[in-house]
Amino acid sequence: MRAVRRRGARRALAAGLALAAALACACTNNPYPEADSDEKVYYTSFVEAPRSLDPAVAYDTTAHAVTGNVYGTLLEYHYLKRPYELIPGLARRVPERRELPDGRIAYRFELRPDLLFHDDPCFELSGGEGARTRQVRAADVAYQLHRIADPAVNSPVVQKFSNIAGFRAFSKALAARREEEPEFGRRPLREQYRAVGPIDGVRVEDARTLEIVLSEPYPQILYWFAMPFTTPVPWEAVAYYDGEQGRDRFADHPVGTGPYRLVTYDKRLEIVLEKSPNWYGIRHPEWDAPGATYPSEGEPGDREAGHLRAASEPLPFIERIEFRREKESIPRFNKFLQGYYDVSGIIKESFDKVIQNDRLSADMKERGITLSKAVNPSIFYLGFNMTDEEVGAPAGERGRKLRQAMSLAVDTRDWLDVFLNGRGVPAQTPIPPGIFGYDEGYENPFRQYDPERAKALLEEAGYPGGVDPETGQPIELTFDTYQTSSEQRLRNQYFVNAWRRIGIDVEIAATSYNRFQEKVRDGSYQLFFWGWIADYPDPENFLFLLTSGMARSVSGGPNTANFQNDRYDRLFERMKTLPNGPERLEFIREMLALLERERPWIELFHREDYTLYHGWLSNVKPFGMSYPMLKYYDLDPAERRAMRRAWNEPVVWPLYALAGLGVMVVVPGVVTFLRERQ
Amino acid sequence: MLAYVLRRLAWGAVTVVGVLFFLFLVFFAVTDPDDIARRALGEKAMPEVIEQWKANHGYDKPLWPWQDLDDNLFFDHYSRMLTFQFGKSDSDNVPIRERLADGIGPSLALTLPLFAMSLLLGVTLSLFVAFFRETYIDRMGVFLAVLAMSISILLYIVGAQYLVAKVLRWFPISGFDSDPSVILRFLALPILVGLASRVGSDVRFYRTVFLEETNRDYVRTARAKGGGEARVMTRHVLRNALIPILTNVVLAIPFLFTGSLLLESFFGIPGLGSLMVESIQNNDFSTLRTLVYIGALLFVGGQIATDVSYALVDPRVRLG
């Protein structure tokens, strides 16, 4: 019996030691395998998994961070130059505008020779057993444009391509044919497109030449060729990855032409990209292609900032990119401080520790962290419903003065300081910094905080002290919003208080998004808060938001203010087709002057992102727009390893102290108890 | 017994149907198909794209039978669930069965050891304090148990992430890796937090059960026969306290499969608990209803299993 007890005690001791050993092995806060610390791996995080990696559909920032690296585009942006400039990517050059004999405008893209898709078994469909890749052809770009037009693909940018001749007709014909003949809808997509198409304005001239013909001028279409929407897509990948018989879905299995290929895709955990040996920049460094070589020139100040240190070196520098899922902001930021993420934004909770007097704190500087600020091409504004009888165009001069007064009552700088830690540039017009037409020196006379002038304007409008003489009561307006969080309520309350100070009584009507949409559809709203982040860096992408054709009441478009002004529309039509230059600037200024006076919006701010980088990361220049530029980044793994070690040595003494305390508390009690029982 | 089980199964079916009804009612009271489409497509999606998405995903139908008796979302919802046709996620079109299969592993990797360890720790500690009843160890044990159960699990999570992961640097703040050589590194902290948040109520509950047993006649008899206190506690008291322990255990088992909402979400464990949180955040009705449906089935099944297990463990219990 005693021997059995001893064996039991020994086993318990062994189990205890094994558990202690396992815990000791586990006792590190490094979330990555040790072996990776010597490699050029870039670690970053994502909050929301991409909904789709299908380049025709992917439209969120996380998805673009993947598709932008995996899918090459015909055109790209210059990494350093501002204002933004297009450079050739998979195309040999940026196409020139060409006028066809029938007056239509065309752009001819010539692909580089010897471009390969990433290795993938789907190519066995065309190349036979063992085939892993093939040459990229102009037909692959055309195929992707047909996919965007395909209603079943449900591309969110279908409207942007409707200027391509025959684009809408193809969409309609395809949908109609599928409805008439359900059997037709089950045929391979390529066959369906061939049978109904091709799209008149998408012309494959030879294996490497593609011509896009527009039904009406739209020079901004070139920007869409710098986005993954228009990347070459192999039909084999779409056909093979159908989600059947254990195969992936194409939306989860990209087969691209970019500098990185997807090697791990676990939406709820991690996304891993690896340098692709098939990328043209790696296979043909001798081309010195602009999209495959670090730029040797930038904007003034880039050399001093160290952005040209890697000039003319072949891309990419980083071997692997790991996106780790981090839903909560505090753990994400702490991991950055521990050196486990290479970049980070600044969380609200730590803002005052990180930024002091609008500069990086001494503690952060000591850690070798740098701060970069970049103004996003975005505009956030308060809008008036211009179809409203009281605040809109029907109210004539009275309404105009009311809008001007309300615009003068809002102090954006103060609002930004209170709610966004000052992260934003007060807006004077819809056009943000970095976009052609932005004038740093311009001060909108109705966007300066001046409550006295606001009161005077109210008086001129016939509302002395904000009181409507007809009713003898203060003007009562409604601010409709679907943002119901307490923080958002406070933000909106700020505006309401500002207007109350000049005598206007504004009530916040917070409803669900759908109720808000219903109100917008019915035109039963007066004031709202909205924002826009540009797809591409052109003033057209901001000024179109106030054209009649985009009015919510007319087309359900993004002109929620329902601003409809013939002169503005005419100026817009001229402006959008002109190249950047003095003539275009004149048109823009005239449009802005119109907006300044009419005040369909109270322009609030352009969002400013603060990003922190560790010292081991180099060649980092904030880009502003959500275009992945990771192929330009470089890092020093040895420095990172050393810093991580220094920052993350486990502190074990509390463990021993805790155990000692436990023994000290329990043992006397046990001893006393046993003695008493005896 | 069979009649009882059949009756309980019938009531269970009514409960599950009711749960599905309330889910449908509540979900579509606060949102509608346009919201689902907008979450899937992004804020910039134009109305025609949203309409197309709704048509492609079957959300263009009217909600209720009185709007269209033959083709409505309500009947569609029931027919899909009752025939176990879970379909695809609204947010990213991934088959939901695939999602469930991917999530069950990480969930069980967390909940199984947490369940086993919390049971072991709860029973051991409560036996320990019951053994030392009416001493300062007992009083301190009860005080600490009340203290532990008074603290919100959110505080445990944030506190542990700060103290254990950030200050002491023992484990990663969050994350997951299913590789057996490193999985313990990621599970240690959520398990510690789970233990800390449960141990208080477990100790309080089990201690009461044990103390109740220690005052019974058979315990006095066992002591009179000369059985040592430790032997009396483990051989007699523990065995006779099995019914309430079993109730706790069997009721908890179904929820091992549905994961832990908070621990998974805060520690980045891609299990079914965090999947449910995400499906709510993403307006992903198809995934949410599947998880709620499975949760309801497991709950009802667990209740019936508990009642049946009483009869099996304790001959005094008769079902009827």
Side-chain angles (χ1 to χ4, degrees):
Chain A
M1 188 67 158
R2 193 166 291 169
V4 172
R5 270 193 198 150
R6 266 209 301 273
R7 261 208 310 277
R10 256 187 250 130
R11 271 186 205 152
L13 186 67
L17 286 175
L19 187 69
L23 278 171
C25 290
C27 204
T28 166
N29 66 2
N30 186 355
Y32 311 124
E34 245 345 282
D36 289 358
S37 57
D38 292 327
E39 291 181 36
K40 280 196 176 184
V41 184
Y42 175 83
Y43 293 103
T44 185
S45 61
F46 66 101
V47 181
E48 288 272 339
R51 293 185 184 94
S52 170
L53 295 181
D54 179 341
V57 178
Y59 204 14
D60 54 275
T61 311
T62 313
H64 272 192
V66 178
T67 56
N69 284 303
V70 170
Y71 285 106
T73 48
L74 301 193
L75 306 177
E76 296 175 15
Y77 287 98
H78 194 285
Y79 180 48
L80 300 177
K81 286 186 180 172
R82 305 289 183 275
Y84 300 99
E85 184 183 307
L86 287 174
I87 58 169
L90 300 178
R92 290 185 76 156
R93 57 187 73 86
V94 179
E96 296 285 323
R97 169 195 155 107
R98 215 162 64 86
E99 196 163 332
L100 299 181
D102 60 7
R104 293 188 298 179
I105 305 299
Y107 294 91
R108 181 174 285 171
F109 291 92
E110 190 189 341
L111 294 183
R112 292 180 183 282
D114 199 24
L115 296 174
L116 291 180
F117 284 108
H118 296 162
D119 283 356
D120 196 278
C122 72
F123 291 106
E124 288 189 354
L125 286 182
S126 56
E129 206 177 314
R132 284 294 174 267
T133 185
R134 70 162 169 81
Q135 296 273 332
V136 177
R137 296 186 286 255
D140 299 314
V141 184
Y143 177 66
Q144 174 67 353
L145 290 169
H146 284 79
R147 291 189 70 240
I148 293 173
D150 183 345
V153 171
N154 225 212
S155 174
V157 295
V158 64
Q159 270 203 338
K160 306 290 180 184
F161 292 89
S162 54
N163 287 328
I164 296 177
F167 196 83
R168 276 191 181 278
F170 172 80
S171 288
K172 281 183 189 158
L174 191 63
R177 182 84 183 266
R178 283 174 181 160
E179 202 167 333
E180 280 164 22
E181 295 175 51
E183 199 51 44
F184 174 78
R186 284 189 276 277
R187 282 161 58 181
L189 280 180
R190 206 163 60 128
E191 278 182 33
Q192 293 183 41
Y193 296 166
R194 266 197 206 132
V196 178
I199 297 171
D200 180 38
V202 178
R203 297 171 180 176
V204 178
E205 304 211 327
D206 59 46
R208 291 200 288 118
T209 313
L210 176 80
E211 187 163 67
I212 303 295
V213 182
L214 302 179
S215 52
E216 54 184 279
Y218 181 49
Q220 291 76 21
I221 190 128
L222 291 184
Y223 293 116
W224 290 98
F225 284 89
M227 294 190 226
F229 294 110
T230 51
T231 184
V233 165
W235 65 267
E236 296 93 329
V238 179
Y240 186 78
Y241 292 109
D242 54 2
E244 302 293 330
Q245 295 171 352
R247 291 186 294 270
D248 287 344
R249 299 171 319 125
F250 179 61
D252 297 333
H253 192 113
V255 181
T257 47
Y260 293 94
R261 65 197 181 99
L262 185 71
V263 289
T264 305
Y265 187 44
D266 185 339
K267 287 183 187 189
R268 305 192 58 217
L269 197 60
E270 62 175 345
I271 303 168
V272 182
L273 310 181
E274 209 172 68
K275 208 151 97 169
S276 166
N278 290 9
W279 189 50
Y280 73 92
I282 293 174
R283 294 178 65 241
H284 294 290
E286 74 281 3
W287 288 353
D288 284 333
T293 316
Y294 195 90
S296 49
E297 52 182 358
E299 64 175 337
D302 278 347
R303 191 169 298 280
E304 297 73 17
H307 294 321
L308 288 168
R309 249 177 265 153
S312 307
E313 286 186 35
L315 304 174
F317 300 108
I318 287 168
E319 297 289 328
R320 208 166 75 229
I321 302 166
E322 292 206 8
F323 299 87
R324 297 280 177 133
R325 181 96 189 264
E326 288 288 354
K327 285 173 71 180
E328 303 299 327
S329 60
I330 295 175
R332 185 168 61 237
F333 189 66
N334 282 332
K335 277 190 187 171
F336 167 75
L337 293 181
Q338 290 174 333
Y340 296 126
Y341 288 128
D342 297 314
V343 294
S344 173
I346 306 174
I347 55 173
K348 268 188 296 185
E349 292 82 351
S350 298
F351 193 85
D352 293 339
K353 268 188 175 177
V354 177
I355 304 292
Q356 285 162 2
N357 300 324
D358 208 29
R359 286 182 180 180
L360 207 56
S361 69
D363 179 37
M364 293 292 127
K365 279 185 192 157
E366 228 169 74
R367 287 172 161 257
I369 291 171
T370 51
L371 167 73
S372 90
K373 299 178 185 178
V375 180
N376 270 309
S378 60
I379 174 73
F380 292 84
Y381 56 92
L382 293 163
F384 295 97
N385 175 14
M386 294 297 283
T387 58
D388 182 75
E389 298 283 336
E390 203 167 0
V391 298
E397 187 60 22
R398 199 178 201 201
R400 186 179 297 122
K401 288 215 156 93
L402 174 63
R403 296 193 297 275
Q404 290 171 347
M406 290 176 78
S407 181
L408 284 163
V410 176
D411 184 353
T412 308
R413 183 74 269 168
D414 188 48
W415 187 88
L416 285 169
D417 288 342
V418 171
F419 295 106
L420 294 180
N421 301 109
R423 283 178 280 189
V425 173
Q428 304 297 314
T429 74
I431 300 177
I435 303 292
F436 183 79
Y438 175 76
D439 180 355
E440 199 177 351
Y442 169 73
E443 286 190 350
N444 185 331
F446 296 108
R447 285 307 298 118
Q448 314 309 311
Y449 177 57
D450 191 346
E452 292 313 312
R453 196 172 157 222
K455 284 178 190 165
L457 273 169
L458 272 186
E459 198 159 343
E460 283 174 35
Y463 299 116
V467 174
D468 186 346
E470 285 174 23
T471 60
Q473 300 291 320
I475 315 165
E476 285 181 14
L477 302 175
T478 312
F479 182 161
D480 286 285
T481 177
Y482 63 93
Q483 292 155 324
T484 51
S485 69
S486 52
E487 188 182 340
Q488 203 57 49
R489 273 182 168 272
L490 282 175
R491 290 181 183 195
N492 292 337
Q493 192 60 43
Y494 180 98
F495 302 125
V496 170
N497 293 345
W499 292 320
R500 200 160 282 159
R501 279 195 287 273
I502 60 168
I504 301 173
D505 193 8
V506 179
E507 188 194 351
I508 297 175
T511 57
S512 70
Y513 190 87
N514 285 321
R515 178 73 194 110
F516 177 72
Q517 288 292 353
E518 267 173 39
K519 283 183 171 184
V520 166
R521 266 197 299 272
D522 301 344
S524 54
Y525 62 105
Q526 291 183 309
L527 278 153
F528 60 94
F529 176 93
W530 213 271
W532 178 260
I533 298 168
D535 292 306
Y536 47 82
D538 192 276
E540 180 268 351
N541 201 231
F542 290 92
L543 297 176
F544 90 106
L545 292 169
L546 286 155
T547 53
S548 304
M550 286 292 140
R552 186 77 65 165
S553 58
V554 175
S555 65
N559 177 5
T560 310
N562 286 317
F563 179 63
Q564 294 172 65
N565 183 299
D566 291 343
R567 174 133 190 83
Y568 182 89
D569 292 344
R570 280 198 301 276
L571 290 166
F572 176 80
E573 287 306 317
R574 290 292 310 280
M575 179 281 298
K576 78 171 189 183
T577 58
L578 290 172
N580 288 344
E583 194 186 356
R584 194 177 200 210
L585 195 59
E586 270 311 300
F587 281 106
I588 291 172
R589 283 192 178 144
E590 203 172 329
M591 293 170 80
L592 296 181
L594 247 164
L595 297 179
E596 174 192 299
R597 180 168 176 270
E598 291 298 330
R599 301 281 76 217
W601 288 0
I602 300 174
E603 300 88 347
L604 289 175
F605 67 99
H606 309 293
R607 202 174 71 189
E608 193 173 17
D609 284 343
Y610 283 24
T611 312
L612 302 174
Y613 302 91
H614 280 297
W616 53 75
L617 207 61
S618 53
N619 305 340
V620 178
K621 178 171 177 176
F623 192 66
M625 292 193 293
S626 78
Y627 285 87
M629 291 291 176
L630 290 177
K631 67 180 176 184
Y632 295 97
Y633 286 20
D634 198 1
L635 62 86
D636 180 352
E639 189 189 337
R640 180 168 64 184
R641 191 178 57 241
M643 299 311 285
R644 278 183 184 172
R645 276 211 185 122
W647 294 340
N648 295 295
E649 195 62 42
V651 182
V652 288
W653 66 262
L655 201 61
Y656 302 124
L658 211 62
L661 189 71
V663 170
M664 278 163 60
V665 170
V666 174
V667 167
V670 173
V671 171
T672 315
F673 179 83
L674 291 178
R675 205 174 285 156
E676 278 174 10
R677 288 283 156 103
Q678 274 169 2
Chain B
M1 170 83 115
L2 182 66
Y4 174 80
V5 172
L6 288 175
R7 205 163 55 238
R8 288 298 308 268
L9 280 174
W11 276 113
V14 172
T15 308
V16 171
V17 167
V19 167
L20 286 176
F21 174 75
F22 277 110
L23 174 72
F24 190 86
L25 191 73
V26 170
F27 189 89
F28 286 107
V30 293
T31 188
D32 82 356
D34 279 40
D35 283 332
I36 304 174
R38 202 169 289 107
R39 284 291 296 172
L41 294 166
E43 284 293 320
K44 283 187 175 182
M46 296 291 280
E48 64 182 62
V49 179
I50 287 175
E51 289 308 316
Q52 185 67 52
W53 186 94
K54 279 161 55 185
N56 291 350
H57 291 78
Y59 281 109
D60 53 343
K61 301 170 186 173
L63 277 183
W64 300 103
W66 55 83
Q67 292 169 303
D68 183 345
L69 192 61
D70 298 328
D71 200 14
N72 57 72
L73 274 176
F74 184 72
F75 282 166
D76 185 60
H77 163 67
Y78 270 107
S79 70
R80 279 171 184 271
M81 289 299 98
L82 298 178
T83 55
F84 291 90
Q85 288 176 356
F86 301 141
K88 293 179 177 176
S89 155
D90 292 329
S91 70
D92 60 7
N93 264 346
V94 172
I96 293 170
R97 279 176 194 281
E98 214 173 277
R99 271 284 149 78
L100 297 178
D102 290 345
I104 190 85
S107 275
L108 288 177
L110 171 68
T111 54
L112 276 181
L114 177 57
F115 173 69
M117 287 166 83
S118 73
L119 182 66
L120 193 69
L121 191 69
V123 170
T124 311
L125 285 180
S126 47
L127 263 179
F128 186 74
V129 291
F131 184 81
F132 292 104
R133 59 194 169 277
E134 291 165 20
T135 66
Y136 79 91
I137 291 182
D138 181 26
R139 283 190 290 275
M140 197 166 65
V142 173
F143 170 75
L144 289 177
V146 173
L147 186 72
M149 62 195 279
S150 313
I151 299 171
S152 151
I153 188 171
L154 284 173
L155 194 64
Y156 279 115
I157 292 172
V158 177
Q161 284 183 329
Y162 177 76
L163 186 71
V164 182
K166 194 182 173 204
V167 177
L168 302 177
R169 306 156 192 162
W170 291 351
F171 308 113
I173 294 173
S174 61
F176 186 76
D177 193 332
S178 56
D179 184 337
S181 64
V182 293
I183 192 169
L184 189 61
R185 190 185 295 181
F186 294 99
L187 291 178
L189 197 52
I191 287 177
L192 277 179
V193 169
L195 285 177
S197 68
R198 289 173 188 197
V199 74
S201 53
D202 281 359
V203 166
R204 283 265 294 158
F205 177 69
Y206 295 138
R207 177 186 165 276
T208 312
V209 171
F210 291 140
L211 286 183
E212 204 178 309
E213 289 298 321
T214 51
N215 294 326
R216 291 188 190 276
D217 291 343
Y218 73 87
V219 176
R220 201 174 303 128
T221 311
R223 284 197 190 118
K225 281 167 69 184
E229 189 64 21
R231 187 183 164 84
V232 168
M233 291 299 282
T234 50
R235 287 285 169 91
H236 299 281
V237 173
L238 179 60
R239 192 169 290 175
N240 282 287
L242 265 182
I243 284 261
I245 294 177
L246 199 70
T247 312
N248 246 9
V249 168
V250 179
L251 279 178
I253 286 173
F255 296 103
L256 299 181
F257 297 93
T258 52
S260 165
L261 299 186
L262 287 174
L263 288 178
E264 287 181 13
S265 289
F266 276 85
F267 287 100
I269 297 169
L272 297 182
S274 56
L275 181 64
M276 181 174 267
V277 175
E278 286 159 28
S279 61
I280 295 167
Q281 288 168 342
N282 292 336
N283 275 352
D284 183 350
F285 181 62
S286 299
T287 306
L288 179 64
R289 70 179 171 190
T290 304
L291 290 168
V292 170
Y293 180 54
I294 289 173
L297 287 178
L298 286 170
F299 178 75
V300 167
Q303 293 274 339
I304 296 170
T306 311
D307 289 351
V308 172
S309 66
Y310 283 165
L312 296 178
V313 173
D314 189 344
R316 290 170 299 182
V317 177
R318 290 280 173 272
L319 303 177

